[in-house]
Amino acid sequence: MILPMGEITFTRPLSEFLCPQCGWTGDFEARFPAWCLSCTYGAEGGMVLKQFTGRAQRQKSAASRRSEKLYAKVVAAPQLRPTGLLRRTTIGVALLIHLVTLLVLAGGIVLIATMPPASLAWFFGPLLILLAITLRPRFPAMEHGPQLITREQAPELFGLLDEIAALLHTHSFTAVRLSITANAGTAVFGLRRRERLLDVGVPLWQLLGPQERVALLAHEVAHGANADSEYGLVVASALSTLRRWYAVTHPLTLVTGRTRLKTRNVVDVILPFHVFHRWASALVLRSTPRAEYLADRLAAQVASTDAVHAMLDRMVTAGAAMQVLLTAVRARVPSQPWRIVRDFAAALPEHEQARLALLSARAGVSIDDSHPPTHLRLQLLRGGEPLPAQLTMTGERCALIDAELADPIEQLGAKLSKFARR
């Protein structure tokens, strides 16, 4: 790959392609793989897609079947709100985990209250209470710092978020954080779940038009309108409790949010917390994709179906642009990172955009992916009745928001450039 430097240009000469399989011909920019737009011959362009074997292949096939089955249910369902048996089962399992913690606490209190002072109960009682405190659900508060953008720093952006939240009858965000990703997400903090953080990937944000940005923001706001935060409050804290059970039984093992829990000693045979955690996590992953379809639908009501469709298309382009950007950073190429992203996307020909979309559809859903495949989300939008926009972003307002985010985006880009120069 030729890395961009200085004033970047992606213009390349064309080359003619003749498909050896069906005879289709076409012209392609020489820097991109040539492939057949008729029979898709050569679409991989020499790329080796990740291959799964044995159990992993079976898991991936099962995940793909679940995605297709869920899509069929969503298409036929009169409404998209995730109220099925699976969701209720997941919440029930989470509540059962919390009930065990309450029983441990109650057992410690009962031992202290009912047993003679000289008995061993006065040793085990406080021990059980201490264990219950260790396993209790935690509701951390948002860590405020210089990396967060507040209402005072970006009143126009938060005004837009408030308008979207009012249209969807839900809460707006407390703060915004910029990140180096080709996606966006939310996090909810506090016991009352009122502190909401919006994480916006700058590479994706840079590629979106004004109305597509409204679609992105509306999609993230919509997660608060379909009870995702309340669902996360119960389930996420239960999964965290399971990890603490595992940590208590493995005092010499560092257990983090990404540690893979597995059998290490005889305790894991008698008390298989790792198995229960894996099962509960699988329930969560099966419950969340439907909420993404609903968030897409709600976003379309705010920004229009066309805007959400274009935003999802841009996510595929942003993923490819991120690969170019990361390659430049790893090669220590000093440049303006966001210019790399913008120029790459601007010069991306239609045949390459179509190829990237095709590869995304072929890849399907990964084993650990909580989102439906992008091509199914696009397919659902195309199959429904087109919705007009309730909220339109004007060019003037978009410019004001860009001005508010200019300094934080530049600072994030400077960090990337500094890393490239090291």
Side-chain angles (χ1 to χ4, degrees):
M1 178 178 294
I2 299 176
L3 296 177
M5 298 183 65
E7 292 298 325
I8 305 166
T9 176
F10 288 98
T11 303
R12 296 292 188 276
L14 298 179
S15 62
E16 188 176 354
F17 173 76
L18 172 64
C19 178
Q21 186 164 291
C22 70
W24 181 88
T25 61
D27 293 330
F28 290 83
E29 284 193 21
R31 73 188 181 103
F32 292 110
W35 61 289
C36 180
L37 275 68
S38 177
C39 68
T40 72
Y41 173 85
E44 284 76 10
M47 295 172 54
V48 179
L49 298 181
K50 185 176 180 181
Q51 299 295 320
F52 296 92
T53 58
R55 182 181 179 185
Q57 178 61 43
R58 291 192 296 271
Q59 288 178 326
K60 185 181 185 300
S61 299
S64 298
R65 288 194 299 271
R66 286 196 300 269
S67 296
E68 296 289 348
K69 185 177 180 180
L70 174 61
Y71 175 78
K73 287 183 177 180
V74 167
V75 170
Q79 56 94 19
L80 289 176
R81 294 195 177 276
T83 58
L85 176 62
L86 179 60
R87 183 181 178 90
R88 292 194 294 269
T89 301
T90 307
I91 294 178
V93 170
L95 293 175
L96 178 62
I97 294 169
H98 292 313
L99 177 61
V100 172
T101 303
L102 288 176
L103 291 176
V104 172
L105 176 63
I109 294 174
V110 168
L111 284 177
I112 294 177
T114 60
M115 296 298 174
S119 67
L120 287 177
W122 280 82
F123 170 77
F124 289 107
L127 188 62
L128 289 177
I129 293 175
L130 180 61
L131 179 60
I133 293 174
T134 302
L135 300 174
R136 75 188 186 282
R138 286 170 171 79
F139 312 102
M142 185 187 304
E143 295 183 2
H144 295 273
Q147 76 277 10
L148 296 185
I149 300 172
T150 62
R151 290 181 173 273
E152 292 72 20
Q153 296 172 277
E156 196 66 38
L157 173 61
F158 278 91
L160 176 61
L161 289 170
D162 291 344
E163 289 184 40
I164 295 173
L167 289 173
L168 296 177
H169 307 289
T170 187
H171 300 290
S172 185
F173 289 95
T174 309
V176 174
R177 181 177 60 197
L178 301 179
S179 62
I180 311 170
T181 64
N183 208 331
T186 62
V188 187
F189 300 91
L191 178 60
R192 300 182 62 190
R193 314 299 280 176
R194 294 298 178 88
E195 288 189 306
R196 303 189 67 209
L197 173 65
L198 171 63
D199 189 288
V200 178
V202 174
L204 175 60
W205 184 259
Q206 293 283 302
L207 301 186
L208 297 179
Q211 201 60 23
E212 295 163 9
R213 291 180 176 182
V214 176
L216 177 69
L217 298 178
H219 176 92
E220 299 305 329
V221 171
H223 282 296
N226 57 23
D228 282 1
S229 60
E230 289 79 5
Y231 179 72
L233 170 67
V234 177
V235 178
S237 57
L239 291 176
S240 178
T241 295
L242 281 177
R243 285 189 168 274
R244 287 193 207 97
W245 271 113
Y246 190 85
V248 166
T249 57
H250 299 78
L252 301 180
T253 302
L254 177 62
V255 180
T256 66
R258 295 188 177 184
T259 302
R260 183 178 180 182
L261 310 185
K262 57 185 179 181
T263 302
R264 295 183 183 274
N265 52 42
V266 70
V267 176
D268 293 318
V269 178
I270 302 173
L271 302 172
F273 298 117
H274 59 299
V275 175
F276 200 41
H277 181 275
R278 191 178 301 121
W279 177 61
S281 299
L283 286 178
V284 173
L285 290 176
R286 293 190 186 187
S287 302
T288 52
R290 186 164 185 154
E292 294 296 327
Y293 286 121
L294 175 58
D296 286 341
R297 178 67 59 82
L298 294 176
Q301 294 176 10
V302 174
S304 80
T305 300
D306 290 341
V308 177
H309 192 289
M311 181 266 293
L312 291 175
D313 275 336
R314 276 298 189 182
M315 290 182 71
V316 178
T317 303
M322 270 296 298
Q323 295 303 314
V324 174
L325 175 60
L326 292 176
T327 301
V329 171
R330 289 172 185 146
R332 304 296 193 266
V333 176
S335 182
Q336 298 182 25
W338 312 133
R339 180 182 295 181
I340 295 176
V341 172
R342 290 193 301 269
D343 290 355
F344 173 83
L348 201 65
E350 290 186 8
H351 65 77
E352 181 62 11
Q353 295 181 34
R355 190 181 75 90
L356 294 174
L358 177 64
L359 292 180
S360 175
R362 285 183 178 179
V365 62
S366 64
I367 296 173
D368 298 323
D369 202 348
S370 62
H371 286 60
T374 302
H375 73 281
L376 291 182
R377 296 169 67 181
L378 290 169
Q379 189 172 319
L380 184 66
L381 287 170
R382 286 192 295 264
E385 181 180 353
L387 299 174
Q390 295 186 57
L391 178 60
T392 303
M393 171 89 86
T394 63
E396 180 182 359
R397 189 174 195 181
C398 188
L400 291 174
I401 293 176
D402 283 339
E404 293 175 344
L405 299 180
D407 286 343
I409 288 177
E410 184 178 352
Q411 292 171 12
L412 192 61
K415 290 181 179 179
L416 265 179
S417 299
K418 183 179 179 181
F419 175 81
R421 288 193 297 268
R422 288 193 306 182

